[in-house]
Amino acid sequence: MTDKLRIVYIGTPDFAVEPLRCLRNLEKSDENCGYSVVGVVTMPDRIITRRGSNQVLMSPVKEYAIAEGLPLLQPESLKDETFIEALAAWGADLQIVVAFRMLPERVWNMPRLGTFNLHASLLPQYRGAAPINWAIINGDKVSGVTTFFLKHEIDTGDVIMRREVEITEADDAGTLHDKLMLLGGETVVETVTSIVRGEAVARTQASIYDGELRPAPKIFRDTCRIDWNKNCTELYNFVRGLSPYPAAWMEVTDANGAVNSIKVYETRKELCEPSQPSGTLLTDGKSYVKVAVNDGYLHLTSLQLPGKKRMPTADLLRGFSFEGLNIVK
C-alpha cells in the first residue's frame, strides 16, 4: 500500500505510551498495515528543583517518541498559531488522543477523518477525569475501554469500539490501570485497522445505553477522606479505588489533641456484629489495627504516616503505637 494513513498521536502519561507502542510495533513489523505515525504531541517538560539544582522531567510519551525517532511537538498553548501551523504541516489524516488535556475544535477537527480518543471506561458510563477510580469505588465488577470520535461535549462522541475487562476483589486503581492500559493498546490498534480498511462503524452513545449514568469527576484531597459511617464493603472499595494514588486518608488525634493525617492503602473486611461504635479504632499493638463500622471491622493493613514511607501495618506497629489514638469522624 503506497498511500498510508498519516497519524498524529497525542498523549502524555504512561497510560498513553502503550497504545503508541502497539501502533509502532505493528507499523514496523507489517509494511502493509496501512498507516504511519508521522508525529507526536505531548505536554511541555516540567522543571523541578531538587537539592538546589534544576531537573527536567519529560513526559513518558516524549521519552518513547524520542527513542523511536518520531517528530515531536510540545505546545504551551494548543491555540498558539506556531503550533497550529506545525501540526497542519504534518498533514494528518487521523489523530489519536490518549490521556491528554481538552483539545480546541480547531485541533481535533483538523484531520479529514477526525480525531478519536481512548477512554478508560465503557462509555457512556464514567465520563470524566477519573473513570478507573470511580469504577472500583462504586464496586463495579466490569470495566473496559472505549474508542470514540471527539466532538464538542467531553466524552460524548460516537463510539467506535468498546472492550471489557473484569474487576476482581483484589484489584485496586493501580492494577486496573495496568489492565486497561494493555487492553487500550490492543483496542487502539484494532480501531485504526478498522478505519484503514473502511470497516469502522461509529454508534451514538445513546444507542448503546440510555439508563442511569455514573460520572467520573476529578478527585480532590477532600474526596479521599474516609467516611466511617459507610459499611465494610463500601469502605473496602473506597480505599482500593484510591490506591496507590491519590490514596484514601483519615485523621486521628492523640491524648494531647494533636491531629495527624494517615493514608490508607489496603484493608481487609471482617463482617460481624461490632461491639463498638462506628469509627472506634482498635489495635493489639503488634499485628493489627482495625476500625469498627456498622457491619463489622475494617482492618487497615497498609498505612503511611506523615513524612514516612508506606508500610504493612504489622511492620509499622514495631515503631509506632496506635494506643490512645482516636479517629476524627
Side-chain angles (χ1 to χ4, degrees):
M1 183 178 294
T2 56
D3 296 328
K4 290 189 175 183
L5 205 70
R6 295 174 63 84
I7 292 175
V8 167
Y9 190 87
I10 305 173
T12 294
D14 286 325
F15 191 87
V17 175
E18 182 62 21
L20 179 56
R21 179 184 291 114
C22 290
L23 286 168
R24 287 289 290 160
N25 286 347
L26 180 59
E27 180 185 346
K28 290 184 290 185
S29 65
D30 182 2
E31 62 180 15
N32 295 315
C33 69
Y35 67 83
S36 176
V37 179
V38 298
V40 172
V41 179
T42 192
M43 294 286 283
D45 298 339
R46 290 193 299 129
I47 309 297
I48 61 171
T49 301
R50 287 180 178 169
R51 298 178 180 178
S53 63
N54 291 333
Q55 296 183 14
V56 177
L57 288 184
M58 297 185 294
S59 77
V61 164
K62 178 179 179 178
E63 291 180 353
Y64 181 79
I66 290 174
E68 289 289 296
L70 292 169
L72 190 67
L73 291 174
Q74 295 180 269
E76 292 285 349
S77 169
L78 295 172
K79 296 181 180 180
D80 180 77
E81 285 299 324
T82 302
F83 162 67
I84 296 293
E85 290 173 7
L87 182 64
W90 282 343
D93 299 300
L94 177 71
Q95 290 176 159
I96 302 169
V97 181
V98 181
F100 198 72
R101 63 187 191 265
M102 186 175 176
L103 298 177
E105 181 178 0
R106 190 177 178 187
V107 172
W108 58 257
N109 205 25
M110 186 180 293
R112 66 179 180 85
L113 296 176
T115 300
F116 78 78
N117 178 247
L118 173 72
H119 189 71
S121 81
L122 296 171
L123 289 173
Q125 289 290 6
Y126 297 115
R127 295 169 177 158
I132 295 174
N133 305 93
W134 287 108
I136 296 180
I137 290 171
N138 288 331
D140 289 4
K141 304 299 183 186
V142 175
S143 182
V145 295
T146 304
T147 53
F148 67 98
F149 285 113
L150 293 186
K151 67 177 192 177
H152 288 288
E153 296 79 14
I154 295 176
D155 297 338
T156 61
D158 291 351
V159 169
I160 311 166
M161 289 188 177
R162 296 162 91 235
R163 295 290 183 266
E164 294 186 359
V165 70
E166 179 187 8
I167 303 176
T168 70
E169 274 278 301
D171 276 321
D172 60 18
T175 60
L176 182 56
H177 169 281
D178 292 349
K179 286 182 181 181
L180 295 178
M181 179 176 67
L182 296 175
L183 182 61
E186 297 170 2
T187 307
V188 164
V189 171
E190 289 178 17
T191 300
V192 170
T193 300
S194 72
I195 292 173
V196 168
R197 294 174 178 173
E199 299 171 353
V201 177
R203 298 170 292 161
T204 65
Q205 294 189 25
S207 70
I208 295 171
Y209 180 80
D210 62 357
E212 182 180 355
L213 297 179
R214 288 176 165 175
K218 187 175 181 179
I219 291 175
F220 298 95
R221 186 175 187 277
D222 285 348
T223 313
C224 303
R225 182 168 185 161
I226 297 173
D227 178 1
W228 295 107
N229 294 311
K230 294 183 177 181
N231 65 40
C232 251
T233 298
E234 290 172 329
L235 290 168
Y236 175 78
N237 291 337
F238 183 77
V239 169
R240 69 192 182 105
L242 296 169
S243 180
Y245 181 83
W249 59 275
M250 63 180 187
E251 283 186 332
V252 297
T253 57
D254 61 21
N256 298 318
V259 179
N260 277 309
S261 175
I262 299 176
K263 291 184 177 181
V264 183
Y265 291 94
E266 294 180 21
T267 64
R268 177 171 59 83
K269 295 178 285 185
E270 180 187 347
L271 300 177
C272 62
E273 186 67 34
S275 56
Q276 294 86 9
S278 293
T280 302
L281 190 150
L282 303 162
T283 181
D284 64 353
K286 296 179 180 180
S287 61
Y288 74 82
V289 173
K290 64 182 181 180
V291 181
V293 294
N294 57 31
D295 63 345
Y297 296 93
L298 190 72
H299 289 251
L300 313 182
T301 58
S302 179
L303 301 170
Q304 184 177 6
L305 299 175
K308 304 294 183 181
K309 294 181 179 180
R310 171 181 173 178
M311 299 178 67
T313 298
D315 293 344
L316 181 63
L317 288 172
R318 294 191 181 101
F320 182 83
S321 176
F322 280 81
E323 296 289 347
L325 297 184
N326 294 298
I327 289 177
V328 179
K329 294 186 68 177

